[in-house]
Amino acid sequence: MDFNGSSPFPEGVISFLDTDLYKLTMQCAVLKYFADVNVTYAFKNRTPDKKLSRAAFQWLQIQINKLGNIALSPDELRFLQSTCTYLNKEYLDFLKDFRLNPREQVTASFTAKDDTGSDTDIGEVNLVVKGSWVETILYEIPLLALTSEAYFRFIDKDWIYDGQEEQAYAKGMRLLEAGCIVSEFGTRRRRDYHTQALVFRGLVKAKKEGKKNGLPGEISGTSNVHLAMRFGIPPIGTVAHEWFMGVAAITGNYETATKTALSYWVGCFGEGVLGIALTDTFGTPIFLKAFREPIYPITPADQTGLADGVVESETSANGSEKAKTFAEVFTGVRQDSGDPANFVKIMRDFYAKEGIKEPKTIVFSDSLNIDLCLEYKKIAEEAGFKCTFGVGTFFTNDFVHQSTGHKSTPLNIVIKLSSAAGNQAIKISDNIGKNTGDVATVEKVKKVLGYEEKVWKLGDEEHRWETDDDQGK
């Protein structure tokens, strides 16, 4: 791919809303409860064979600094006010004047393998984010998207945009014909913004065609708020692992952290709002212990008093009406690691044991393609669940090398919360390949929680999207 100053395609991040919705919802909750907490974020490349050149890193550094120039526009504010009504006025007022400050908050470094000083030197990139949680929470998505773009702008250049819209349309039609309800979740590992826009154009075309022909499936939205606004499609998202990781680190009590995090979430947005719960931050079995607990209104507590969990309102807790549980109130759950078939069985058994008979939803979001969507749909529906799919990299970074026809493999990169309030922040998940954070803390928390190690045969994070030598599908 030949990039130069005359390229008609936008580079980098072009809008404040060019991010995933759940970063905004979490920032709203952080502003309400943890505005003064300081945090750090760490970058991890799960595909270590894929490195940047010095020139790629220099481009990346320039793009990171440009993030400080982006602000919420009046039109974007009006979109949030009219579309995302769960975002409270205090938060939207905060966003009016909010700016990222990457020169102070982001440290980017490049370590060449064989340092000759040349722009072509290949090496490791490291990104560290530091600052208050509320002021740094929005960095994750643009930093990942920019890193991916740098790689495919400077290193793997043997690809073209031709056919991306048509490919996305074909994928969308096949999913709609099969009755799948699908959202596009591909911002963080996209090839670049133009690719994502082409893909979404194809998906919107499929959506219109599917509606015209009465197909049973639906393109329900996108996690990217900017594209949702641009194409008139709903933004989709609720919460990420970061919320649970942060609350656990702040409280220091991993046995009560999940209930505390869920309680604050409901306290911020209300019962039944943004109601898809992410289960695997510390392992799904640990999550379900909290999920079956009753919900009581909470009062804001000083952070030093959070170790024993949230402070419940005595009036509500002692009231005559029986409090609903989180499992009753939440619309459903999101499966993001481990064996999906086993997860469906676990959730079916859980809801049956809790006496919950109303239909619940499972959102599948772990490295999906069409065949996996169809497989998981069958499993979930046979167990009595509704199901939807958050499809990311398969949509926004699915290319082949022009010279060989072999797959041009995406990077598997993540940025995770690494500390909060001076304490290590970690994630365990339902697959050992997704353990994140300080190793000693991970092992300590596993022992405290009685966590049973999980290994899934498709959970190899280094080869998540096949290898460069495999034929593209």
Side-chain angles (χ1 to χ4, degrees), residues 193-436:
Y193 172 83
H194 184 61
T195 297
Q196 191 173 14
L198 287 173
V199 164
F200 208 68
R201 190 179 301 162
L203 292 176
V204 169
K205 181 181 177 182
K207 177 182 175 71
K208 292 178 180 178
E209 189 72 14
K211 185 176 181 180
K212 174 183 174 182
N213 295 330
L215 297 181
E218 181 182 356
I219 305 295
S220 58
T222 173
S223 62
N224 186 295
V225 188
H226 167 72
L227 289 176
M229 177 179 172
R230 175 177 166 180
F231 286 94
I233 299 293
I236 301 293
T238 52
V239 67
H241 300 101
E242 177 180 351
W243 178 248
F244 297 92
M245 293 168 67
V247 171
I250 293 166
T251 65
N253 188 335
Y254 281 82
E255 293 175 294
T256 62
T258 298
K259 181 180 178 182
T260 302
L262 289 170
S263 297
Y264 276 125
W265 193 257
V266 173
C268 184
F269 298 108
E271 294 185 6
V273 181
L274 298 173
I276 296 295
L278 183 58
T279 69
D280 68 332
T281 308
F282 308 118
T284 294
I286 302 303
F287 174 87
L288 294 180
K289 290 180 180 179
F291 206 41
R292 60 168 48 99
E293 291 288 321
I295 304 172
Y296 297 123
I298 58 173
T299 58
D302 183 84
Q303 289 151 21
T304 58
L306 286 175
D308 294 326
V310 296
V311 179
E312 298 173 350
S313 167
E314 291 185 8
T315 302
S316 298
N318 295 328
S320 57
E321 184 178 348
K322 181 181 178 182
K324 294 181 180 179
T325 67
F326 294 107
E328 290 174 312
V329 165
F330 275 75
T331 306
V333 293
R334 179 157 72 95
Q335 192 273 338
D336 196 55
S337 66
D339 183 348
N342 187 53
F343 180 85
V344 170
K345 183 179 184 303
I346 289 172
M347 293 311 306
R348 180 70 281 150
D349 292 345
F350 170 81
Y351 283 121
K353 186 175 181 180
E354 296 303 307
I356 298 173
K357 297 181 180 179
E358 66 176 289
K360 294 292 184 178
T361 298
I362 295 180
V363 179
F364 296 96
S365 62
D366 187 19
S367 303
L368 300 175
N369 59 32
I370 293 174
D371 290 340
L372 292 178
C373 288
L374 302 187
E375 177 186 343
Y376 301 161
K377 179 178 185 292
K378 183 175 185 294
I379 293 170
E381 290 181 346
E382 286 178 350
F385 288 104
K386 301 176 183 178
C387 63
T388 68
F389 304 91
V391 182
T393 309
F394 177 67
F395 278 151
T396 61
N397 207 332
D398 187 13
F399 289 79
V400 296
H401 288 136
Q402 289 298 293
S403 60
T404 65
H406 293 171
K407 187 171 180 62
S408 172
T409 312
L411 280 73
N412 189 350
I413 50 178
V414 295
I415 291 176
K416 294 294 184 183
L417 196 70
S418 54
S419 73
N423 301 318
Q424 295 284 347
I426 60 102
K427 184 186 79 161
I428 298 174
S429 85
D430 288 332
N431 173 33
I432 191 171
K434 286 193 170 185
N435 286 184
T436 303

Side-chain angles (χ1 to χ4, degrees), residues 17 19-22 24-25 79-87 183-185 200 219-238 274:
L17 295 185
T19 191
D20 283 343
L21 176 64
Y22 66 28
L24 301 183
T25 57
F79 175 78
L80 293 180
Q81 289 171 331
S82 62
T83 305
C84 306
T85 55
Y86 38 79
L87 298 176
S183 295
E184 183 271 314
F185 277 15
F200 208 68
I219 305 295
S220 58
T222 173
S223 62
N224 186 295
V225 188
H226 167 72
L227 289 176
M229 177 179 172
R230 175 177 166 180
F231 286 94
I233 299 293
I236 301 293
T238 52
L274 298 173

Side-chain angles (χ1 to χ4, degrees), residues 131-250:
S132 71
W133 199 2
V134 73
E135 292 180 344
T136 58
I137 192 170
L138 297 187
Y139 278 113
E140 177 193 358
I141 305 303
L143 290 182
L144 290 172
L146 289 170
T147 303
S148 179
E149 182 173 350
Y151 181 81
F152 291 105
R153 183 174 283 263
F154 290 89
I155 306 301
D156 181 350
K157 300 183 289 182
D158 185 19
W159 57 274
I160 58 176
Y161 292 116
D162 294 1
Q164 282 294 302
E165 181 178 341
E166 293 79 7
Q167 178 176 261
Y169 169 78
K171 290 176 180 178
M173 289 300 292
R174 185 175 169 196
L175 289 165
L176 293 176
E177 289 165 357
C180 293
I181 300 174
V182 181
S183 295
E184 183 271 314
F185 277 15
T187 303
R188 66 182 58 214
R189 299 188 186 106
R190 69 190 183 193
R191 190 136 303 203
D192 60 9
Y193 172 83
H194 184 61
T195 297
Q196 191 173 14
L198 287 173
V199 164
F200 208 68
R201 190 179 301 162
L203 292 176
V204 169
K205 181 181 177 182
K207 177 182 175 71
K208 292 178 180 178
E209 189 72 14
K211 185 176 181 180
K212 174 183 174 182
N213 295 330
L215 297 181
E218 181 182 356
I219 305 295
S220 58
T222 173
S223 62
N224 186 295
V225 188
H226 167 72
L227 289 176
M229 177 179 172
R230 175 177 166 180
F231 286 94
I233 299 293
I236 301 293
T238 52
V239 67
H241 300 101
E242 177 180 351
W243 178 248
F244 297 92
M245 293 168 67
V247 171
I250 293 166

